Amino acid sequence: MSDRISEIRRILRRPLDSGINKFALLKDVAELVSTGHPLAQDFVLRVFARKHEFNDFHDIVIELVKQVGLYPYLKDEELSLRDLLALEMHRVEGMNEVVFHSSQAAVYNHLMDGKNVILSAPTSYGKSLIIDSVIASDRYNNIVIIVPSIALIDETRKRLSAFKGQYKIVTYPYQKLAERNVLVLTQERAVEVIEQVKVDFFVIDEFYKIGSRTDGDERYRILNQVFYKLVKTGAQFYLLGPNIENVKTGSLENIQFEFIKTDFKTVVSERHQVTIHSDGERIEKLVDILNNTDQPTLVYCQSPSSANRLAAQLLEYELYGKIEQNAALVSWIRDNYHPEWILAKAIEHGIGIHHGKNPRALSQQCVKLFNEGLLRCLICTSTLIEGVNTKAKNVVIYDNKISNSKIDFFTFNNICGRSGRMFSHYIGHVFLFKEPPQPELPLVDFPIFTQTEDVPDEMLINIDEADLTDGSKKKLKEYTDQNVLTLKTLRDNSYISLSKQLALARAIEEHIDNIHRIMCWTKIPNANQLRAVCALIWSFFEGGNKMVYGVKSGKQLAYRINSYREAGSIKQFIRMNHQEGKDINDTIELSLDIQRQWINFKFPRYLRSLNQIANDVFVRHGYSLCDYSFYATLVESYFCPSYVVPFDEYGLPVQVTNELRKRIHFSENLDEAIQQLKSVDVNSLGLEEIEKYFVMNVQMYI
């Protein structure tokens, strides 16, 4: 039979020869389906993808689709009364237009029975549709969804806007909660608000990162902390991710859950190993692949700089010509950033670039244009792979690393799973430019519950004493048995090393008179005060002489912050940073790095932690307190009103928001500002057409 299976696979991978006995072929596939062979569903999908070649055996093809449980692909007019009744059993409560496949229906029924579910399923399975269906059931008042990236926050928010009549969709910690809410947050945002919400149901997407130290210790620690807090609420949960064999739970075993592992596929993924003999041949092979397909193609690169370099190389081959429909966006990007930015050149010629350094609103535009067919190729990094849905038929894994680390087996399979799209591309193609990683036992543990010897102290500090093992209590003794910082301060800032927090507190204590004089400020610091806090942040939180997102000292950090404020716009900031003889794209990347990483994230976060640690020392010694909250928020908001950055995440570029601000007085309350944005009449404000386009795109999902 193995020879016949190989023969079936060969036949179904190419156009059918006139001499092929189609009935015999379908009979063999049916036999594999009846015996539950692992390749049966693969073969049925291949047959269904080319059903026009089996017109004489239409009823048999439909029966095979039904037998493997692919109900979403069936049409009412193709079914008997009995089959229609079976189909009705796979419709979703509250979403009658949605039909589950058989495996989805089983998971959904477990959840509707009140069970906790940990699901391992392929990327194309439709795990998110189950989330939507849980929301549609109307059984829960407060639902928390943890996603791995801000890009995925916005995609999820847009998808869930269909439920805005039932729930308030919350994406920021300082939005006011309504009676019923769906909170879509990264772990960093969730850790701030969980304790303020009576959670009924929670979801963690890409949950395997809970045991992944390769994703950066800080994010992995915070994800564990969030999971622990959510589990302690007693809420029902649904954890989802791909390619996991089992979970190691430790004390989590006290909580009942169903672990469901399935290989149920809704699309087929063909893998093609590309043979490369030299670096020069690498780009030639990619160009051949792109030239030989008219279908949308994702090209995975290891980093933003490698993605930009590849885009520049592809432009030299003039693959697609200018795309006229993209002209207005291209012109706007050039006017608002720089005329020579590679992103503008690429979009102009049908190539998108999506990575974490690009402005969020522009990254969203790249995905939108790609899905609309206005970008034929989308060069991306892991920020797109982590769950953002596209209509890609083909995926090219051009690099086999994330930054400087080798792609692990989880991530590799996740990237491959982006090829093909239910209802669009039944068969996807993956082109491998490097050897795939070796299969590993994809076992996920929950460190915050297993508490093995290598679990960081910063994670353990957030566990209730009753849940700590004896070994963990012993490890934490040096932090729990000291009187320099309160346990609350250590916990609130546990994204920073506990020992670094204590070292900073002791340094403040040792020189308290001098330090208090320079640190005791509120609202906006003067130049000396800013330099002082930057010096402390660099010395105790960041450290070293290594360049970190364009900064390598406290003095330089203060300079970058002041320069950004003085520039007044990212366009001017790019000009200020540019040095003659340097590639302008390197300058743009540096400027966007400083804006995203330091201005919007790292500095405000560090400043709030410094504030809390300093006040912890000051209050114990009877000194007046400092308050950096106003300045932290001001810097975080690009020295603009606080709604500007959230609007950018919604898809409205900062520059367009600033144009709106000239015409509309937005409320400082984010919820009110969002409603004002929703009600803007774009035709009455004298906006440019491209500005209207941006605003209307955002309004669709508010």
Side-chain angles (χ1 to χ4, degrees):
M1 186 63 181
S2 61
D3 289 343
R4 181 55 180 156
I5 290 172
S6 298
E7 179 66 7
I8 294 170
R9 191 202 300 263
R10 185 191 65 77
I11 292 169
L12 290 176
R13 281 182 169 175
R14 58 190 66 183
L16 295 183
D17 297 333
S18 57
I20 295 292
N21 185 330
K22 296 178 183 178
F23 178 78
L25 178 64
L26 292 176
K27 182 172 178 291
D28 286 341
V29 172
E31 184 179 337
L32 294 173
V33 169
S34 67
T35 58
H37 193 281
L39 286 174
Q41 191 157 338
D42 183 293
F43 291 161
V44 170
L45 280 164
R46 290 178 188 276
V47 167
F48 186 73
R50 44 208 295 197
K51 57 181 183 288
H52 61 280
E53 296 183 63
F54 293 90
N55 280 337
D56 293 340
F57 306 101
H58 175 78
D59 291 347
I60 297 176
V61 172
I62 294 304
E63 182 64 25
L64 289 173
V65 170
K66 186 181 69 176
Q67 288 296 320
V68 296
L70 285 165
Y71 291 97
Y73 286 150
L74 300 176
K75 297 178 181 177
D76 289 2
E77 60 269 21
E78 297 174 324
L79 303 174
S80 67
L81 177 60
R82 187 181 68 176
D83 292 337
L84 282 170
L85 290 172
L87 186 69
E88 287 303 311
M89 296 297 290
H90 290 78
R91 291 198 188 277
V92 179
E93 177 186 346
M95 296 174 69
N96 288 333
E97 74 283 3
V98 173
V99 176
F100 279 148
H101 57 65
S102 57
S103 183
Q104 280 175 317
V107 173
Y108 174 74
N109 288 335
H110 278 304
L111 291 170
M112 290 298 96
D113 287 342
K115 296 176 181 176
N116 299 315
V117 172
I118 300 178
L119 173 66
S120 169
T123 304
S124 60
Y125 178 89
K127 297 183 284 290
S128 296
L129 183 59
I130 297 173
I131 300 174
D132 298 4
S133 303
V134 167
I135 296 170
S137 73
D138 220 25
R139 297 187 180 192
Y140 307 95
N141 287 325
N142 290 302
I143 297 170
V144 175
I145 303 173
I146 309 298
V147 296
S149 68
I150 290 174
L152 199 50
I153 283 182
D154 192 69
E155 174 169 302
T156 306
R157 178 190 65 80
K158 286 175 177 172
R159 196 182 76 239
L160 299 184
S161 64
F163 301 104
K164 60 190 175 187
Q166 299 165 252
Y167 292 93
K168 180 175 181 179
I169 312 299
V170 175
T171 59
Y172 261 80
Y174 47 81
Q175 285 183 264
K176 187 176 180 181
L177 297 179
E179 186 175 341
R180 309 183 82 212
N181 307 275
V182 178
L183 294 89
V184 186
L185 306 164
T186 58
Q187 57 258 43
E188 289 83 2
R189 292 182 183 180
V191 77
E192 299 179 41
V193 298
I194 291 169
E195 292 170 353
Q196 304 166 27
V197 185
K198 187 181 183 304
V199 183
D200 302 305
F201 186 90
F202 72 88
V203 178
I204 297 183
D205 194 6
E206 306 287 344
F207 84 93
Y208 67 87
K209 291 178 179 291
I210 228 163
S212 172
R213 290 155 178 77
T214 59
D215 193 39
D217 276 352
E218 182 190 314
R219 297 207 77 206
Y220 131 86
R221 294 199 309 259
I222 296 171
L223 184 57
N224 271 271
Q225 182 182 344
V226 166
F227 179 55
Y228 175 76
K229 286 187 173 187
L230 286 168
V231 166
K232 294 289 283 186
T233 67
Q236 186 183 353
F237 61 78
Y238 170 43
L239 312 186
L240 53 143
N243 312 303
I244 295 145
E245 288 295 332
N246 212 332
V247 292
K248 186 178 179 183
T249 56
S251 60
L252 183 61
E253 289 170 356
N254 298 326
I255 297 165
Q256 297 298 309
F257 63 88
E258 299 283 335
F259 175 67
I260 299 173
K261 183 192 180 313
T262 176
D263 293 320
F264 193 101
K265 295 180 176 67
T266 58
V267 297
V268 174
S269 182
E270 287 269 22
R271 295 185 185 180
H272 312 274
Q273 190 70 49
V274 181
T275 304
I276 305 291
H277 296 105
S278 67
D279 283 344
E281 190 182 7
R282 195 159 166 248
I283 186 69
E284 299 285 348
K285 293 277 190 178
L286 176 59
V287 169
D288 285 345
I289 291 168
L290 295 176
N291 270 330
N292 289 321
T293 180
D294 59 357
Q295 298 293 340
T297 302
L298 284 179
V299 181
Y300 171 79
C301 289
Q302 69 187 70
S303 66
S305 56
S306 64
N308 290 343
R309 281 195 303 272
L310 180 59
Q313 288 178 292
L314 289 179
L315 285 171
E316 294 176 8
Y317 287 86
E318 300 181 353
L319 287 167
Y320 306 128
K322 289 188 178 181
I323 310 295
E324 286 304 317
Q325 296 97 316
N326 298 343
L329 176 62
V330 169
S331 177
W332 184 89
I333 292 171
R334 286 177 169 149
D335 289 344
N336 285 275
Y337 290 90
H338 194 280
E340 298 302 313
W341 191 12
I342 187 64
L343 180 64
K345 290 181 183 179
I347 293 173
E348 184 176 35
H349 292 87
I351 299 171
I353 306 172
H354 188 293
H355 54 63
K357 295 189 178 184
N358 283 344
R360 293 180 180 114
L362 296 185
S363 289
Q364 290 177 37
Q365 281 300 309
C366 283
V367 173
K368 181 175 184 291
L369 295 176
F370 181 73
N371 287 338
E372 291 173 352
L374 295 175
L375 296 175
R376 295 271 299 282
C377 164
L378 182 56
I379 303 171
C380 68
T381 61
S382 59
T383 55
L384 185 73
I385 297 304
E386 291 178 329
V388 177
N389 286 316
T390 65
K391 293 182 178 178
K393 181 177 178 66
N394 310 304
V395 170
V396 177
I397 304 181
Y398 196 68
D399 294 328
N400 65 343
K401 293 181 178 180
I402 294 181
S403 190
N404 294 316
S405 301
K406 287 272 190 181
I407 289 177
D408 60 31
F409 194 61
F410 281 119
T411 306
F412 172 77
N413 282 323
N414 212 357
I415 297 171
C416 291
R418 298 294 157 193
S419 68
R421 176 78 168 172
M422 198 171 180
F423 303 115
S424 300
H425 310 294
Y426 300 110
I427 299 176
H429 295 271
V430 180
F431 298 88
L432 308 175
F433 275 59
K434 301 277 187 178
E435 287 295 322
Q438 289 298 310
E440 55 194 67
L441 179 61
L443 173 71
V444 173
D445 77 330
F446 293 84
I448 206 156
F449 287 101
T450 55
Q451 295 182 38
T452 53
E453 187 62 32
D454 61 343
V455 172
D457 298 337
E458 290 74 22
M459 189 186 297
L460 296 175
I461 198 77
N462 288 289
I463 301 175
D464 295 343
E465 186 176 4
D467 295 329
L468 289 168
T469 65
D470 290 340
S472 296
K473 289 176 184 175
K474 187 176 179 181
K475 282 182 70 178
L476 288 176
K477 202 165 180 59
E478 64 176 296
Y479 306 112
T480 55
D481 291 2
Q482 50 79 34
N483 62 358
V484 180
L485 286 177
T486 64
L487 195 59
K488 181 181 186 308
T489 293
L490 288 171
R491 283 177 167 171
D492 287 350
N493 303 290
S494 58
Y495 71 94
I496 299 169
S497 157
L498 303 183
S499 59
K500 287 182 178 180
Q501 291 187 57
L502 289 175
L504 170 61
R506 290 184 175 115
I508 293 172
E509 196 170 44
E510 188 176 348
H511 306 284
I512 193 164
D513 286 337
N514 291 333
I515 286 182
H516 183 263
R517 272 194 294 272
I518 194 72
M519 289 186 70
C520 190
W521 55 268
T522 62
K523 294 293 183 181
I524 297 177
N526 61 35
N528 288 334
Q529 289 167 337
L530 179 60
R531 280 195 293 269
V533 295
C534 286
L536 289 171
I537 283 170
W538 193 266
S539 297
F540 289 94
F541 297 162
E542 199 68 50
N545 295 316
K546 183 181 177 183
M547 184 72 74
V548 180
Y549 301 117
V551 172
K552 62 178 180 180
S553 70
K555 184 178 179 181
Q556 190 174 29
L557 176 58
Y559 170 77
R560 295 294 196 195
I561 293 166
N562 275 328
S563 296
Y564 187 87
R565 177 182 55 80
E566 290 168 5
S569 71
I570 188 62
K571 180 179 181 178
Q572 182 61 25
F573 191 55
I574 291 167
R575 285 180 180 169
M576 289 169 63
N577 286 326
H578 190 52
Q579 299 172 7
E580 191 174 343
K582 188 175 181 180
D583 186 330
I584 187 61
N585 285 292
D586 291 339
T587 303
I588 294 170
E589 187 174 319
L590 169 70
S591 303
L592 292 173
D593 253 349
I594 295 166
Q595 181 190 53
R596 174 75 62 85
Q597 297 296 336
W598 280 111
I599 303 297
N600 181 237
F601 181 58
K602 290 174 80 74
F603 174 75
R605 193 184 191 203
Y606 280 152
L607 188 62
R608 291 183 179 107
S609 294
L610 176 63
N611 193 168
Q612 186 177 5
I613 291 167
N615 280 344
D616 208 338
V617 177
F618 292 157
V619 75
R620 191 158 45 83
H621 290 274
Y623 285 77
S624 57
L625 304 184
C626 50
D627 183 359
Y628 304 157
S629 58
F630 176 84
Y631 191 66
T633 300
L634 186 64
V635 176
E636 185 177 56
S637 304
Y638 302 153
F639 296 94
C640 293
S642 58
Y643 54 78
V644 170
V645 173
F647 280 12
D648 187 42
E649 288 184 19
Y650 271 48
L652 194 68
V654 172
Q655 297 91 331
V656 178
T657 299
N658 285 334
E659 284 300 313
L660 286 177
R661 286 171 56 205
K662 296 174 184 177
R663 300 159 170 84
I664 299 169
H665 179 70
F666 284 102
S667 170
E668 284 290 341
N669 178 288
L670 179 57
D671 291 314
E672 292 174 2
I674 290 169
Q675 290 308 308
Q676 286 176 277
L677 180 60
K678 179 181 179 179
S679 61
V680 165
D681 179 1
V682 294
N683 294 312
S684 67
L685 298 175
L687 296 172
E688 299 290 334
E689 287 302 313
I690 186 65
E691 293 168 339
K692 293 179 186 178
Y693 165 82
F694 277 122
V695 175
M696 289 188 291
N697 272 337
V698 173
Q699 288 177 325
M700 287 172 60
Y701 299 102
I702 297 178

